[in-house]
Each structure stands twice: as C-alpha cells, then as structure tokens.
Amino acid sequence: MSNPSVIEPLKIADAAAGLRHVFVRDLVLPCNIGVHLHEKGRTQRVRINLDLGVWEGDGQHEDRLENVVCYEDIVTRVRAVTSDGHVNLAETLAERIASLCLQDSTCRSVRVRVEKLDVFEDAKSVGVEIERFSSGSTRSRG
C-alpha cells in the first residue's frame, strides 16, 4: 500500500508524465578549473554529459524547433559557462550548468556529469554528477 504523503521525483523520461529525454553526450571543452596552484591560469579538458527531463506539453511539436528544447542552444550556453573565468570545483561548474538548463520552463529535471580528463595518468577521469529538479517537478504517490 502506498503512502499518499510520499513525494516521488519524476523520471528523466516518462510517457505517463509527459516527459521526453533530451541529452548531450561527451561534450569535451577547455575550462579554467581547479583549486591547486598548478591548475590556475591554464585550461584543462572537461567532459560534460547532460540528461534533461523535458515536459512535452500537448506533445505536438509540429516538427518546429521553437516547440522543443534546442540542444544547440544548450551546448552554446554550456560553452559560455566553461569559458567564463576560473572555477575552483567541478561541483560548482555542475551547479552552474544545471541552473542554466533549468532556466528553460519546460525542463523539469537535469542530470549533469562533469569530468576532468587530465588529472591523473592512471585514471581516465575524475569528477562529479548531480541531479536537480525545477520547482513543481515532483508528484505525489497515492
């Protein structure tokens, strides 16, 4: 028996909730990132992966770009964030990217993975993954 007071986050893609999954995979960009002295004043490669849960509305996109989330716009905005001065933490960069994705009123959730690619010779990458929700992006179970 389910508890009606339990709040359940929406899935990234959920037909019943009218959500489609929009994603960006393996975007590699130069970024001024890091807390250590040897990381200041130089760029490092970061790999960014995004998963957005986007509200479909009435589902009628009519094959028109203005009726969907434009991943070209998302990538352009992520590039701007990574080139906007030094950031100390991958966590901070991920939060900034999540915030910009959630500025779109149809974006209900976003998962952001930020990986620094050149930190350790014996590791492919290090980084962080976060998931954030827009206000009103949960539903009651009952």
Side-chain angles (χ1 to χ4, degrees):
M1 184 165 147
S2 62
N3 180 347
S5 65
V6 172
I7 301 296
E8 175 181 290
L10 294 175
K11 299 174 191 171
I12 209 88
D14 185 341
L19 291 177
R20 76 169 40 108
H21 181 194
V22 175
F23 59 89
V24 175
R25 291 284 174 260
D26 298 328
L27 178 64
V28 177
L29 298 170
C31 185
N32 289 307
I33 189 168
V35 296
H36 300 292
L37 188 57
H38 69 273
E39 295 176 302
K40 310 270 183 181
R42 70 176 192 92
T43 60
Q44 298 182 59
R45 294 180 314 134
V46 294
R47 179 175 34 234
I48 298 167
N49 284 279
L50 305 173
D51 294 286
L52 287 71
V54 177
W55 184 64
E56 295 180 318
D58 63 12
Q60 302 297 317
H61 58 74
E62 300 173 349
D63 202 27
R64 298 173 56 103
L65 182 59
E66 62 268 15
N67 294 335
V68 297
V69 170
C70 175
Y71 40 80
E72 180 180 14
D73 181 50
I74 292 169
V75 169
T76 298
R77 295 174 72 201
V78 169
R79 285 181 181 135
V81 168
T82 60
S83 64
D84 188 29
H86 186 86
V87 62
N88 285 327
L89 302 173
E91 290 83 351
T92 303
L93 181 58
E95 292 288 353
R96 289 179 183 172
I97 293 169
S99 291
L100 80 84
C101 291
L102 291 173
Q103 288 173 2
D104 185 304
S105 63
T106 64
C107 186
R108 298 296 193 248
S109 66
V110 62
R111 185 176 303 128
V112 180
R113 177 180 286 190
V114 173
E115 299 172 84
K116 293 170 64 174
L117 302 179
D118 303 313
V119 175
F120 300 109
E121 287 185 27
D122 53 351
K124 189 173 184 178
S125 67
V126 296
V128 65
E129 181 174 281
I130 64 170
E131 186 174 40
R132 298 293 178 260
F133 300 96
S134 68
S135 60
S137 64
T138 57
R139 63 179 175 205
S140 290
R141 274 190 352 196

